Amino acid sequence: MRKEVAVAVVVTTAATVLGAAVLVRQWKRRSERRWRHGQRILRKFARDSATPVAKLWHIANQLASDMQEGLMSSGDHSNLSMLVSYHAPLPTGEEGGIYYGINLRGTNFLIIRARLDGKNEPITEIRRKEVPIPSQIMVNPDSTKELFDFIAIELAKYISVHGETEIARDKKLGFTVSIPVVQAPLSSGVAVKWNSLFVDDTVGKELAKEINQALEKHGVEMQVYAVVNDTIGDLAGGRYYSKESVAAVTLGMGTDVAYLESPQQISKPLSESPKSGETVVNLQWANFNSSLLPLTEFDVSLDAQSTNPGGRIFEKFIGGMYLGEIVRRVLLKMAQEAALFGDCVPPKLKTPYLLRSPDMAAMHQDTSEDYEVVDEKLKDIFEISNTTPMVREIVAEVCDVVAERGARLVGAGIVGLVKKLGRISNKKSVITIEGGLYEHYRVFRNYLHSSVWEMLGSELSDNVVIEHSHGGSGAGSIFLAASQTQNAHS
Ligand code: ADP
Ligand code: MG
């Protein structure tokens, strides 16, 4: 009797062990299958995102010819509208004195004060004050007047505390706007005007008139010459430092380019004929689109579910607003189809735009042995815990593919622009880049620089100098104020 029990026990234990072994084997096989499927998703994504040099050149050439076309037609036929957005002398590098600027951003503005010493000497004594815009002004559709009154009052206060006792009568106030179109609250009347500023430079002049009335009313003895997009301010900054400065690129949340064009190249009708000075064209390259772009299924769905489907396609590859979102979409597919994070799909991974580019950059640039930063970010952002180092490595790899593609496309865009200007083989060109993405995402910046180097080779790449902008956010308004003041003297 006892024996039988013993035998039975042995038999059941053996069966359990056997069953467990089968389960473990099945589980292993299943997880290997999933793992391989995950690898396949990643490889396909990397393949679809690839940007070999030949492809970059095709894209650069396409951009150059679209630019040409946009300068000739009045906009409907080319995907680049090539807005002539500023005719005025830009800095010579000789400007000196204390200058003031306003940089209007989404929900706040900066008052900036800085000193220039001429002779291309660096900008110094930069002071910034960030002023939040009261929400009743932001939401009121007819509130430009209130906004300008508010700015004038704040500026008057600032000058009375920090300012010079006397400001020359003909001093200009630089005024730049850097509201990314995607961020502006749609209901706001101010946003509608700002958005149209990106479409028409006469709007900028009108706005300047309104601002000047407010400045006068509140006793500020400065005048705004024109309200411009801040990329133009960055170009002005580039010109102060170098005559070879030909373009400025904004690379933050969104992206934009302003460059110097010779008026003879522009054959489409203009709202006003270029006066003396230089002609700045806003490329609006966020809108660049081409079948040559390395589009993946993730870009297609991102675009379709965006607030502007079909619009600003180039920006959706390179803007800081989108990079993390592309990564999230790839990870979500790997979680759903290959159980990257275990049997359940982490719910937070389904939240659009939850992964921001600074966090993506931190994961991407994680050099710790076990990807501890990736581990921490996955926990903090998506509440995903218990990941293995192998899984974390995959996450970092996805970030790498997205950042590399975006950065190399920016490089191709810059080469295309310089090619359009006919400067690649015989002239030095300085390109100023401003924006958090370029400034803070080191690997992105490195990929950008190396793509230009790969495209041009060691000899020609010396002709294209890419620099970080001087003076930081909003400083372009100072350089505009300086050149406009100088202009007023002459
Ligand atoms: P904006 O377009 O709002 O003027 P900025 O030029 O200030 O933006 O840059 C902010 C953007 O830069 C952020 O939205 C983000 O996309 C990107 N960014 C900022 N810091 C980092 C970082 N450390 N790593 C990667 N991207 C960053
Ligand atoms: Mg910025």
Side-chain angles (χ1 to χ4, degrees), residues 180 183 252-254 320-321 357-358 361 434-437 440-441:
Q183 274 186 327
M253 199 81 151
M321 161 111 184
S357 69
E434 145 70 19
L437 191 60
H440 302 299
Y441 199 160

Side-chain angles (χ1 to χ4, degrees), residues 84 104 108 162 170 258 262 275 321 351 357-358 390 438 467:
V84 178
L104 187 57
N108 61 57
H162 304 274
D170 53 2
S262 59
K275 296 190 255 335
M321 161 111 184
T351 310
S357 69
M390 246 161 48
Y438 182 80
E467 285 186 350

Side-chain angles (χ1 to χ4, degrees), residues 234 432-435 438 467-473:
D234 296 331
T432 304
I433 306 190
E434 145 70 19
Y438 182 80
E467 285 186 350
H468 184 235
S469 78
H470 311 266
S473 203

Side-chain angles (χ1 to χ4, degrees), residues 396-416:
E397 182 65 30
V398 173
C399 297
D400 187 61
V401 172
V402 173
E404 179 176 20
R405 180 185 71 166
R408 288 171 70 84
L409 290 176
V410 177
I414 290 174
V415 170

Side-chain angles (χ1 to χ4, degrees), residues 34-106:
R34 285 163 160 186
W35 185 255
R36 277 200 304 274
H37 185 53
Q39 293 282 346
R40 265 200 303 277
I41 295 175
L42 177 56
R43 275 204 306 273
K44 177 164 180 359
F45 175 58
R47 218 171 31 243
D48 293 349
S49 301
T51 49
V53 170
K55 187 172 192 77
L56 291 181
W57 264 115
H58 285 136
I59 292 169
N61 289 332
Q62 174 84 61
L63 182 87
S65 73
D66 282 10
M67 284 175 71
Q68 194 71 50
E69 195 179 315
L71 289 173
M72 290 189 300
S73 69
S74 28
D76 300 342
H77 305 298
S78 163
N79 61 44
L80 295 175
S81 39
M82 307 297 289
L83 304 170
V84 178
S85 42
Y86 189 68
H87 319 276
L90 288 169
T92 59
E94 289 309 314
E95 294 76 5
I98 299 277
Y99 297 97
Y100 284 85
I102 298 286
N103 177 215
L104 187 57
R105 316 186 307 163

Side-chain angles (χ1 to χ4, degrees), residues 38 41-42 45 298 323-342 344-346 348-350 355 360 363 374 377-378 381-382 384 387 391-400 402:
I41 295 175
L42 177 56
F45 175 58
F298 306 99
L323 297 178
E325 174 60 6
I326 305 169
V327 170
R328 185 196 66 83
R329 284 170 182 270
V330 179
L331 295 180
L332 179 61
K333 176 164 173 153
M334 293 171 98
Q336 287 168 332
E337 294 188 8
L340 183 66
F341 303 111
C344 303
V345 175
K348 284 207 151 181
L349 197 54
K350 293 180 184 159
L355 179 61
M360 166 191 175
M363 296 199 288
V374 177
K377 291 288 176 191
L378 288 175
I381 301 163
F382 296 119
I384 298 175
T387 50
V391 166
R392 295 175 210 157
E393 189 178 348
I394 293 220
V395 172
E397 182 65 30
V398 173
C399 297
D400 187 61
V402 173

